[in-house]
Amino acid sequence: MARRYDSSTTTFSPEGRLHQVEYAIETINNSGACVGLLAKDGIVMASERRLTSGLLAPAKRSDKTFCLASHAACNVAGLTADANLLMDEARYQAGYYQYTYQEPIPIEQLVEIVCNYKQYYTQRGGLRPFGVAFLFGGYDEFHGFQLYQTDPSGNYSGWKATVIGANNQAGKSLLKSEYGKAGDDMNDEEERLPTVQEALQLAVKVLNKTMDGTGAAAVEKMELFTMTLDADQNVVHHILTKAETQAVIDSVEQETAAAGDA
Amino acid sequence: MARRYDSSTTTFSPEGRLHQVEYAIETINNSGACVGLLAKDGIVMASERRLTSGLLAPAKRSDKTFCLASHAACNVAGLTADANLLMDEARYQAGYYQYTYQEPIPIEQLVEIVCNYKQYYTQRGGLRPFGVAFLFGGYDEFHGFQLYQTDPSGNYSGWKATVIGANNQAGKSLLKSEYGKAGDDMNDEEERLPTVQEALQLAVKVLNKTMDGTGAAAVEKMELFTMTLDADQNVVHHILTKAETQAVIDSVEQETAAAGDA
Amino acid sequence: MARRYDSSTTTFSPEGRLHQVEYAIETINNSGACVGLLAKDGIVMASERRLTSGLLAPAKRSDKTFCLASHAACNVAGLTADANLLMDEARYQAGYYQYTYQEPIPIEQLVEIVCNYKQYYTQRGGLRPFGVAFLFGGYDEFHGFQLYQTDPSGNYSGWKATVIGANNQAGKSLLKSEYGKAGDDMNDEEERLPTVQEALQLAVKVLNKTMDGTGAAAVEKMELFTMTLDADQNVVHHILTKAETQAVIDSVEQETAAAGDA
Amino acid sequence: MARRYDSSTTTFSPEGRLHQVEYAIETINNSGACVGLLAKDGIVMASERRLTSGLLAPAKRSDKTFCLASHAACNVAGLTADANLLMDEARYQAGYYQYTYQEPIPIEQLVEIVCNYKQYYTQRGGLRPFGVAFLFGGYDEFHGFQLYQTDPSGNYSGWKATVIGANNQAGKSLLKSEYGKAGDDMNDEEERLPTVQEALQLAVKVLNKTMDGTGAAAVEKMELFTMTLDADQNVVHHILTKAETQAVIDSVEQETAAAGDA
Amino acid sequence: MARRYDSSTTTFSPEGRLHQVEYAIETINNSGACVGLLAKDGIVMASERRLTSGLLAPAKRSDKTFCLASHAACNVAGLTADANLLMDEARYQAGYYQYTYQEPIPIEQLVEIVCNYKQYYTQRGGLRPFGVAFLFGGYDEFHGFQLYQTDPSGNYSGWKATVIGANNQAGKSLLKSEYGKAGDDMNDEEERLPTVQEALQLAVKVLNKTMDGTGAAAVEKMELFTMTLDADQNVVHHILTKAETQAVIDSVEQETAAAGDA
Amino acid sequence: MARRYDSSTTTFSPEGRLHQVEYAIETINNSGACVGLLAKDGIVMASERRLTSGLLAPAKRSDKTFCLASHAACNVAGLTADANLLMDEARYQAGYYQYTYQEPIPIEQLVEIVCNYKQYYTQRGGLRPFGVAFLFGGYDEFHGFQLYQTDPSGNYSGWKATVIGANNQAGKSLLKSEYGKAGDDMNDEEERLPTVQEALQLAVKVLNKTMDGTGAAAVEKMELFTMTLDADQNVVHHILTKAETQAVIDSVEQETAAAGDA
Amino acid sequence: MARRYDSSTTTFSPEGRLHQVEYAIETINNSGACVGLLAKDGIVMASERRLTSGLLAPAKRSDKTFCLASHAACNVAGLTADANLLMDEARYQAGYYQYTYQEPIPIEQLVEIVCNYKQYYTQRGGLRPFGVAFLFGGYDEFHGFQLYQTDPSGNYSGWKATVIGANNQAGKSLLKSEYGKAGDDMNDEEERLPTVQEALQLAVKVLNKTMDGTGAAAVEKMELFTMTLDADQNVVHHILTKAETQAVIDSVEQETAAAGDA
């Protein structure tokens, strides 16, 4: 029955649902997962690279991790072509704000601009929703490091740790049990933020779970990204090199093996 | 039969109904409830937080309670992405009025602007109604504290106490029997406005009823908001802290227990 | 068969009917009735308040009776959200005329502007007719007090006494037999206009009939409005207070009782 | 089969017909008839008033007979709300011509402007044809008194005598046999134009026929209009008063009675 | 099967046909025929008047024959309301050309402008083709007298003799056998253009054939038009009077009778 | 199954086809063929005249062969009304280029402009593709004589010899075997361009094949066109006269007869 | 079931797919393949020419390989008419950038502009996606030679070697096994880029595989293109001549024969 209401963004179903938005979310659930983690001293975002081939040219820039401004970056799950458009808009808005007010745009404001843009495409005929979800990571003076998740409806929310894309439910379960207890040997009740290093390990664990197939993650299928502050309090964007990524993967495997031993 | 008329905002059914508007209201009835109460010395608005997770970042600003101007705030039930758009419009209009006339916009005028905006989306093809309802609370010199409720059709009305969202019928029933008699020990016939403190307790009672599950409300599922005047007659917006909220919940439980005893 | 032609304002049925306009009229017939009466010395408009609750705030302004200009007012039956839009337009046009020509807009011209606006929505695709009917009451120097009724098609006509909304047929029947003979003790053949006081009583009688339920009208379910001239020939708008309304209701009941006795 | 082609103004049926235009004509055939007669010394237009009630206010201006300019008037059958729009356009065009060329607009040019406006609504999607037909009567120096009939397709033609609206076929039959022989006692072969007085009587006879019900016409159901020249060759518009109308009706009855006797 | 493709001007059928254009041509085939003939010394156009009634006013101008400019005229078959629009455009373009270049517009250029206008309505959604065909007759210095036929697709072609409208096939057959041999007593092989007088007779013969009913044509059902040059080489437009028309009809009957005798 | 995708230019079928464009090509295949041949010293284009009648006026200009500029011409197969529009655009663009750069537009650039215009109509809703194909012939200093063929999709390609319209497959087969070997008595392997005279004969042979019916071509059914350079290197456009055409046909027949004898 | 969602670009299927985009990709898979290879010292692009005929004129410019700027070129698979439009846009953007910043546009930026243009056509009603895929090859100072592939969704990615169009899967398989090992006699593990000469041979091998039919490639069915740097570091575009192409084909055959021998 619900089929009557599912081909238009301008029609509510009798249950008050917008099916097209739900189908767009389905698009995202079919694409590689992205994990985002707030750390004590930065942000970690990790994403699955689905398209891997020896014939691919080494990317000049990533198509999973987008730099939006010196203090903001973004991970993408879903239709990359749709994402490009929104990223261009986000960069423009960030630059325009900087130019106008001579200070970086607050992260949440940037997220809200992108989300209002998305919402517009859910309420008008002759348009389809954007088939893309984002993890926004950023830093500003007032709230420090922040992590936001958006969906095709234009909704967003702030998280300490979250997953979007394929098998995100499984990934979130893992996060619930592991995040805040990173470094398994701690038992204090108080939740505490992990370090960037711990967060990287947790991110790899989550990707191992969301990616189908063998337990050991292939280094070329993962893209790890950290945003930290340097000594001068400047924000540093860093996509981990192959060697660095392998190091994290190895440490995760050692730990797992150790846990298995224990 | 009615199915023929339900996929367009531009079609009346033979009974003279606009089904799309009714379905949009259904969206709202599926989302967390909001309670609004006019008190002698202020306004109380309470809302259910549906999305709760240990992984959520502490919100920088609430996505249930919106500050529109120094003298106006708003609670939201329904699609948050839709609400953002209307809130931006409301803030712009409030600021524009302030700038033009050098005095705060009267609350009802602000409500009407938002409602005309909503009505527009119910009468034209290629658009869907906004799937969101509001409780507007505000203060102005002429009418003091005021509370308005709006729905997706663009209709609005002023209330002393009302509920929107899930199980609002149950909530309204409770309000009918309790509001105006706050402080159960009073028996004077004359209706009187409760104090902010009494209103907070009543709001928690209503949320207890509209939220499914156990009788005892979890503090992290409730957002309590008060608007009052300080000594200089300035309007004070306040979202209760976890501790303050717990205190109200506790006092409600004590009272209920006492009533049970009696 | 007729079903083929009923979902568009831009399609005549083979019988030459516009079903969407007829369905919009159905909307009006489902909403509370309004009575309008031309009196010797003014105009009386009475309307049924459907939404009544102890929790409703005392209205700052009525949502059944709209003041359009110092010499014009309006009663509404149907979708209030639709009415707001048209009332704003009417106020603007009245103000614009006053500003341009330095004299009040003739009542019929004001009515025609609103009706042309309504007609527009019955002839174009992607729009629905306004689901609202009006009783316009006003005064101008040339024609004195006047009363007009409009419907969603954009049609209008001038009346001495009329009813719109729920059970308007029953109301009109009563008016036919009672209007012009107000003050039952008169038997002169010549029709004569009632006084405002007589008209108020007749309006209450009509509302008693159109409202379902018990014969005795509840004071909070009725809104009585008079437009008269004061000593300086200024137009006076007046919505009767609760006490005044009760007085009219009482006098009607006494009369009915007396008639029952006789 | 024809049903496939009847819901759009932009679709010819395989037989080359525009069904929506034909359905709009149906609208007109359901509304009160209008008779137009060219007389030697003027024009007579008579129309049926369908809506009659003791409660109707005496009309400030007729809604069947419209004055367009000092030398042009118009009778309407069909949707009055549609007619208002076209009448406003006609008045504007007549005034604009007068202003530009300092002489009255030729009648046929005025008719053609209105008809091109109507045609526009028969050839475009998202619009419906105007559900209204007109009898235009006017005077200009070149062609003297003229009478035109228009229909929803935008077609028009000049007539010496014609009927539009309900039962127009019956009315036209009567006109064919009576017009030009007015004053039954004449037998000259040559057609001659009736006087205004004779034309009024013939118009009443035709209305008697087109109106359902009893033979004797009720004075309040008829609106008689004459356009003549006064001594200074100025065009005089005149809607007959109740008394004058009754006089015409009486003379018709006497004549009929006399004919019955003879 | 073809039914799938026939309700839109923007859809080719699998056979590459545009059904709406073909249906528009059907409209024309249902309306009165027009005959056009190129004569040695002018052009003859004859058309059937379908609507005849003693009550019709003598036309101020014909609705079958349109004067476009001093050197161009046009006969119309199909929807007259559609034709008016195109004729206005043609007159405007002719006048604009005259004004700009100070010489009359070449006939074929005028025809092409009208045809491009028609073509536009066959290629876009939300429009229907014009349901009207034309015979354009005109004179210019370069090509002398010329005759063009257009159809709803926007196609046109030059003819020496042609028929449009009802029964045009029958009319064309007659033309093929008679045109160029006008004045039956001639037997020279060489085709020669008829005189205007001969062309008038041939036109009447063709109309006799295309009009249903009795062989003898009624004078009021025919409109005969000639375009010739006067002594000063000015183009003369002339619609034959009743008497002149009757004379032509009589001469045709005599000839036919003579032929019957022979 | 394919039927689902064939009524819109904006829908690909699951096989990736645009049915509307294919149906438009069908329109062309139903219309008279056009042959184009590149000769050593010019271009030859020949087309079938489908509409032939003794009543047709001698054409002032051809409706198969269009002159676009002094150095470019075009043959048309398909809907002539569609072609007119594109030809006007082509002429305008050619003139605009000449005016701007003071040199003739390169032929391929002209073709591409027309083709982009066509492509536009294949990608947007509410439009249909142009139902017309062209053979463009032209000369410019850089590439000498050139011949292009375009189709409704907006595709084009350069040819030495090609056929469009009815039976173009049969025509192309003939071209493949004959072109380059014109003057059957030659046997050298190297392809060589025919002379204009040889090309005219080959064109007639092809038309004989593509036209249905008897082998001998009727002179009035063929239009032969040559574009050559005169002594001053000016481009000469020439449509062959009846006599010239007959001469070519005769020579073809003689040759065929001779071949038959041999 | 999926059929419900496949005729609009503005509708997601319940699985989150955009069928129209997938069908557009099908168009590309039906057209001739294009191979792109990054070489040590340049770029090689090879494409299949589907339309081959002795009657085709020697192309003035290729319709498979487009020159976009002095440092960028493009190979096309799919609808050529669609490609022209995008190529014009690309040229304009490249020129505009050069003009504005006085340096060549970075290759990836050029690709992204074209892809955003494509994406636009996948998200709006009344449009269809572009049925065309590109291989962009270019050179800039920062990244040297680069090769990008785009698809109708607006997605793009950088490759060292890739195939689009018919049988691209088979072609990619071959590339995977051969690319990086060009010059079969090498066995070092390290991947290395082939020389332009080796890349040309590999490209011919791939085309041999993707083209149906006999193993030996016909020279006229292949278009080979190289982009290299000359001594002055200027980018050189070169489409191989017939002789050069034949030489490559011959060397491939020799090698294959040798491999067969070995």
Side-chain angles (χ1 to χ4, degrees), chain B residues 197 200-201 204 219 224-226 238-251:
Chain B
Q197 193 55 37
L200 278 170
Q201 291 179 352
V204 167
V219 69
L224 300 183
F225 168 85
T226 63
H238 180 52
I239 296 182
L240 271 66
T241 63
K242 225 164 173 175
E244 291 170 338
T245 306
Q246 191 62 54
V248 178
I249 294 175
D250 291 347
S251 72

Tab-separated table of all heavy atoms in Angstrom, chain B residues 197 200-201 204 219 224-226 238-251:
chain	number	residue	atom	x	y	z
B	197	GLN	N	7.154	27.096	39.270
B	197	GLN	CA	7.556	25.844	39.911
B	197	GLN	C	6.460	24.798	39.803
B	197	GLN	O	6.703	23.636	39.452
B	197	GLN	CB	7.931	26.113	41.380
B	197	GLN	CG	8.649	24.963	42.054
B	197	GLN	CD	9.890	24.519	41.301
B	197	GLN	OE1	10.603	25.341	40.752
B	197	GLN	NE2	10.130	23.200	41.219
B	200	LEU	N	6.240	23.550	36.251
B	200	LEU	CA	7.284	22.570	35.923
B	200	LEU	C	6.878	21.177	36.360
B	200	LEU	O	7.058	20.185	35.639
B	200	LEU	CB	8.605	22.962	36.597
B	200	LEU	CG	9.431	24.020	35.869
B	200	LEU	CD1	10.589	24.489	36.749
B	200	LEU	CD2	9.965	23.485	34.539
B	201	GLN	N	6.334	21.106	37.563
B	201	GLN	CA	5.910	19.792	38.056
B	201	GLN	C	4.798	19.207	37.197
B	201	GLN	O	4.817	18.026	36.846
B	201	GLN	CB	5.457	19.923	39.514
B	201	GLN	CG	6.637	20.212	40.438
B	201	GLN	CD	6.197	20.364	41.872
B	201	GLN	OE1	5.000	20.395	42.166
B	201	GLN	NE2	7.162	20.459	42.780
B	204	VAL	N	6.168	17.892	33.920
B	204	VAL	CA	6.805	16.582	34.073
B	204	VAL	C	5.747	15.481	34.181
B	204	VAL	O	5.877	14.403	33.577
B	204	VAL	CB	7.729	16.575	35.301
B	204	VAL	CG1	8.140	15.154	35.663
B	204	VAL	CG2	8.958	17.441	35.023
B	219	VAL	N	15.808	11.415	33.453
B	219	VAL	CA	16.162	12.825	33.372
B	219	VAL	C	16.705	13.199	32.005
B	219	VAL	O	16.484	14.288	31.508
B	219	VAL	CB	17.161	13.189	34.494
B	219	VAL	CG1	18.508	12.526	34.236
B	219	VAL	CG2	17.330	14.702	34.610
B	224	LEU	N	13.473	20.643	30.019
B	224	LEU	CA	12.554	21.600	30.649
B	224	LEU	C	13.076	23.013	30.407
B	224	LEU	O	14.273	23.280	30.532
B	224	LEU	CB	12.450	21.340	32.143
B	224	LEU	CG	11.930	19.953	32.541
B	224	LEU	CD1	11.795	19.855	34.067
B	224	LEU	CD2	10.586	19.679	31.889
B	225	PHE	N	12.161	23.905	30.048
B	225	PHE	CA	12.548	25.262	29.707
B	225	PHE	C	11.628	26.244	30.414
B	225	PHE	O	10.421	26.029	30.501
B	225	PHE	CB	12.431	25.432	28.186
B	225	PHE	CG	12.530	26.855	27.733
B	225	PHE	CD1	13.769	27.449	27.512
B	225	PHE	CD2	11.392	27.608	27.512
B	225	PHE	CE1	13.865	28.759	27.078
B	225	PHE	CE2	11.481	28.921	27.085
B	225	PHE	CZ	12.720	29.505	26.868
B	226	THR	N	12.206	27.300	30.965
B	226	THR	CA	11.371	28.350	31.575
B	226	THR	C	11.731	29.691	30.979
B	226	THR	O	12.873	29.962	30.627
B	226	THR	CB	11.589	28.445	33.096
B	226	THR	OG1	12.957	28.813	33.334
B	226	THR	CG2	11.284	27.146	33.792
B	238	HIS	N	15.750	29.970	30.141
B	238	HIS	CA	16.548	29.028	30.913
B	238	HIS	C	16.155	27.586	30.606
B	238	HIS	O	15.002	27.193	30.789
B	238	HIS	CB	16.383	29.321	32.411
B	238	HIS	CG	17.172	28.379	33.263
B	238	HIS	ND1	18.514	28.144	33.072
B	238	HIS	CD2	16.795	27.592	34.312
B	238	HIS	CE1	18.940	27.254	33.962
B	238	HIS	NE2	17.911	26.909	34.721
B	239	ILE	N	17.124	26.805	30.092
B	239	ILE	CA	16.913	25.361	29.961
B	239	ILE	C	17.478	24.722	31.218
B	239	ILE	O	18.656	24.926	31.558
B	239	ILE	CB	17.613	24.798	28.708
B	239	ILE	CG1	16.977	25.412	27.459
B	239	ILE	CG2	17.493	23.270	28.660
B	239	ILE	CD1	17.550	24.898	26.146
B	240	LEU	N	16.650	23.975	31.917
B	240	LEU	CA	17.068	23.436	33.208
B	240	LEU	C	18.250	22.474	33.059
B	240	LEU	O	18.298	21.687	32.102
B	240	LEU	CB	15.897	22.712	33.889
B	240	LEU	CG	15.021	23.615	34.766
B	240	LEU	CD1	14.286	24.651	33.933
B	240	LEU	CD2	14.070	22.813	35.622
B	241	THR	N	19.163	22.557	33.998
B	241	THR	CA	20.289	21.634	34.007
B	241	THR	C	19.810	20.253	34.433
B	241	THR	O	18.669	20.075	34.860
B	241	THR	CB	21.370	22.095	34.987
B	241	THR	OG1	20.766	22.080	36.303
B	241	THR	CG2	21.840	23.499	34.665
B	242	LYS	N	20.698	19.303	34.271
B	242	LYS	CA	20.369	17.934	34.637
B	242	LYS	C	19.930	17.862	36.094
B	242	LYS	O	18.937	17.207	36.444
B	242	LYS	CB	21.614	17.060	34.449
B	242	LYS	CG	21.351	15.744	33.762
B	242	LYS	CD	22.656	15.151	33.282
B	242	LYS	CE	22.474	13.754	32.739
B	242	LYS	NZ	23.711	13.226	32.157
B	243	ALA	N	20.672	18.581	36.928
B	243	ALA	CA	20.379	18.545	38.361
B	243	ALA	C	19.013	19.168	38.652
B	243	ALA	O	18.188	18.620	39.395
B	243	ALA	CB	21.473	19.286	39.128
B	244	GLU	N	18.791	20.311	38.055
B	244	GLU	CA	17.502	20.993	38.265
B	244	GLU	C	16.347	20.128	37.784
B	244	GLU	O	15.304	20.018	38.431
B	244	GLU	CB	17.504	22.330	37.517
B	244	GLU	CG	18.449	23.363	38.119
B	244	GLU	CD	18.628	24.590	37.226
B	244	GLU	OE1	18.374	24.465	35.994
B	244	GLU	OE2	19.030	25.648	37.731
B	245	THR	N	16.564	19.510	36.619
B	245	THR	CA	15.507	18.653	36.076
B	245	THR	C	15.229	17.489	37.023
B	245	THR	O	14.074	17.165	37.310
B	245	THR	CB	15.942	18.093	34.700
B	245	THR	OG1	16.307	19.186	33.860
B	245	THR	CG2	14.839	17.287	34.055
B	246	GLN	N	16.330	16.897	37.537
B	246	GLN	CA	16.161	15.763	38.440
B	246	GLN	C	15.380	16.187	39.677
B	246	GLN	O	14.521	15.438	40.158
B	246	GLN	CB	17.538	15.204	38.826
B	246	GLN	CG	17.477	13.866	39.554
B	246	GLN	CD	16.857	12.769	38.695
B	246	GLN	OE1	17.298	12.514	37.577
B	246	GLN	NE2	15.793	12.124	39.172
B	247	ALA	N	15.670	17.397	40.122
B	247	ALA	CA	14.972	17.901	41.317
B	247	ALA	C	13.473	17.970	41.085
B	247	ALA	O	12.662	17.576	41.927
B	247	ALA	CB	15.526	19.281	41.690
B	248	VAL	N	13.088	18.479	39.901
B	248	VAL	CA	11.654	18.560	39.604
B	248	VAL	C	11.044	17.166	39.542
B	248	VAL	O	9.975	16.912	40.106
B	248	VAL	CB	11.435	19.303	38.267
B	248	VAL	CG1	9.950	19.345	37.949
B	248	VAL	CG2	12.022	20.695	38.327
B	249	ILE	N	11.760	16.254	38.866
B	249	ILE	CA	11.239	14.882	38.754
B	249	ILE	C	11.052	14.272	40.139
B	249	ILE	O	10.027	13.628	40.437
B	249	ILE	CB	12.195	14.023	37.897
B	249	ILE	CG1	12.207	14.543	36.457
B	249	ILE	CG2	11.807	12.562	37.946
B	249	ILE	CD1	13.199	13.857	35.550
B	250	ASP	N	12.039	14.505	40.970
B	250	ASP	CA	11.943	13.950	42.320
B	250	ASP	C	10.743	14.493	43.062
B	250	ASP	O	9.995	13.752	43.709
B	250	ASP	CB	13.234	14.281	43.097
B	250	ASP	CG	14.421	13.503	42.538
B	250	ASP	OD1	14.197	12.556	41.734
B	250	ASP	OD2	15.559	13.852	42.872
B	251	SER	N	10.542	15.798	42.978
B	251	SER	CA	9.428	16.392	43.722
B	251	SER	C	8.097	15.840	43.221
B	251	SER	O	7.157	15.659	43.983
B	251	SER	CB	9.463	17.926	43.588
B	251	SER	OG	9.079	18.309	42.288
